[in-house]
Amino acid sequence: MRRLALPAVALVVFAAGCGAPDGPPGAEAMPRGTLLIVGGGSLPAGIKTRFVELASGPDGGRILVLPMASGHPDTGPEQAAEFRDLGVPASSVTVTREDALEESSLAHLRGITGVWFTGGDQSRLTAAIGGTPFLEALRRLYHEGAVIGGTSAGAAVMSPLMITGEERRPAKEHDPDDQTDAFLSIERGNIVATRGFDLLPMTIVDQHFVRRKRHNRLLSLVLEHPDHVGLGIDEGTAVEVGPDGVWRVLGTGVIVIYDARRASVRPEGALAAAGITLHVISGGGRFDPGATPKVLAGDGE
């Protein structure tokens, strides 16, 4: 990848399908399962129904809700009840760190065809099962054909590089009188990220994206890690990733994609780049992040 020292940021929007980057995200893995990654907010009925369809399969199925991101004890049981109302057996279990390190915890995954991560704080999820035998078993389940879904915090954990929601230099340090909540700048070393579950390799997922104006934080991380594609998913919107690797957009909002794999990126100092590709894709649209990335025609929703 060519990297140049640039005098200033230059954002160039390329036409879809131009030239080939170094390679597609996750090209090294070909899981048989499906991801359903939801940007948070109110979920349209079609997204929940689609998750149930994917989890049910021709021979029925079972859904397991993992609610550890949430601080509310009723979140898991309530979500499981919603899935049962849609016609598939579903249960909820809170897996602690101690549980996840024990082989006995793997029994929770036996016979499961769909796993759902609720919203909340994604750092609670990684603290509970990150780097454990339980997570490895869940990843095997996905590679063998299960559907893994999640909303909000449950979307953020899909990345190999997970946005925690924190920044090292908070907004008030830039301007004490500014009332904006956070993420006022595009700058190096400010956005806190940690290891996620790496279910969607070489991608950085952000959620509530348009609604909460999170462009600065995702673009900052993409410029620091230009081999990763930035995927911002708005509320009420989902990305379905099947075994073919194509990203299909569901729901009422849009996804925003920052692709710097072919860009010229300043390697140090102030963040700067030229040649970043930007896509905005609405429900019914599709994106192929492969060797020649392109937006594919969608039928709308």
Side-chain angles (χ1 to χ4, degrees):
M1 181 178 296
R2 184 167 58 97
R3 299 192 179 191
L4 302 178
L6 303 175
V9 172
L11 178 61
V12 181
V13 180
F14 281 74
C18 65
D22 294 338
E28 74 285 352
M30 296 182 64
R32 301 206 310 269
T34 301
L35 302 176
L36 194 66
I37 312 170
V38 187
S42 298
L43 271 62
I47 291 178
K48 293 181 182 178
T49 301
R50 180 58 177 159
F51 181 77
V52 168
E53 289 174 352
L54 291 166
S56 297
D59 302 317
R62 284 179 53 210
I63 291 173
L64 178 67
V65 177
L66 296 176
M68 290 85 77
S70 176
H72 302 286
D74 295 333
T75 298
E78 288 174 356
Q79 184 63 80
E82 289 186 26
F83 287 133
R84 289 195 297 271
D85 288 344
L86 291 173
V88 63
S91 58
S92 171
V93 62
T94 297
V95 179
T96 67
R97 184 77 183 176
E98 292 74 17
D99 295 335
L101 292 170
E102 296 293 334
E103 187 174 345
S104 58
S105 69
L106 307 188
H108 294 302
L109 297 174
R110 292 193 188 115
I112 294 298
T113 56
V115 176
W116 182 262
F117 295 111
T118 67
D121 182 345
Q122 52 265 38
S123 294
R124 293 188 186 126
L125 272 173
T126 54
I129 67 173
T132 66
F134 186 87
L135 177 59
E136 288 309 306
L138 188 150
R139 287 169 54 82
R140 285 196 300 272
L141 204 66
Y142 164 56
H143 278 260
E144 291 167 1
V147 54
I148 310 295
T151 184
S152 189
V157 295
M158 302 286 186
S159 303
L161 188 68
M162 185 190 79
I163 296 173
T164 67
E166 300 175 347
E167 56 183 332
R168 294 183 176 89
R169 294 177 288 280
K172 297 305 181 185
E173 293 186 15
H174 292 274
D175 182 353
D177 296 325
D178 196 305
Q179 298 303 306
T180 307
D181 288 339
F183 307 108
L184 296 184
S185 63
I186 297 172
E187 62 177 303
R188 188 181 304 278
N190 183 44
I191 309 304
V192 180
T194 189
R195 184 177 181 182
F197 292 168
D198 198 10
L199 294 168
L200 189 60
M202 305 307 292
T203 305
I204 304 170
V205 177
D206 205 346
Q207 75 278 35
H208 302 278
F209 191 70
V210 176
R211 176 78 174 179
R212 299 189 186 178
K213 303 177 182 177
R214 289 176 165 172
H215 299 269
N216 287 355
R217 75 179 192 180
L218 182 58
L219 187 52
S220 293
L221 277 180
V222 168
L223 293 183
E224 289 186 275
H225 305 275
D227 54 341
H228 287 56
V229 174
L231 170 58
I233 310 175
D234 201 16
E235 294 186 359
T237 310
V239 172
E240 178 182 326
V241 185
D244 62 0
V246 173
W247 300 358
R248 294 168 174 82
V249 184
L250 312 175
T252 58
V254 301
I255 68 169
V256 177
I257 296 169
Y258 293 124
D259 189 348
R261 290 176 293 171
R262 295 182 66 244
S264 298
V265 180
R266 174 182 282 166
E268 56 188 23
L271 289 176
I276 301 171
T277 306
L278 168 68
H279 301 294
V280 179
I281 308 174
S282 59
R286 295 178 294 155
F287 176 71
D288 184 350
T292 304
K294 55 190 172 183
V295 176
L296 306 171
D299 54 9
E301 277 200 356

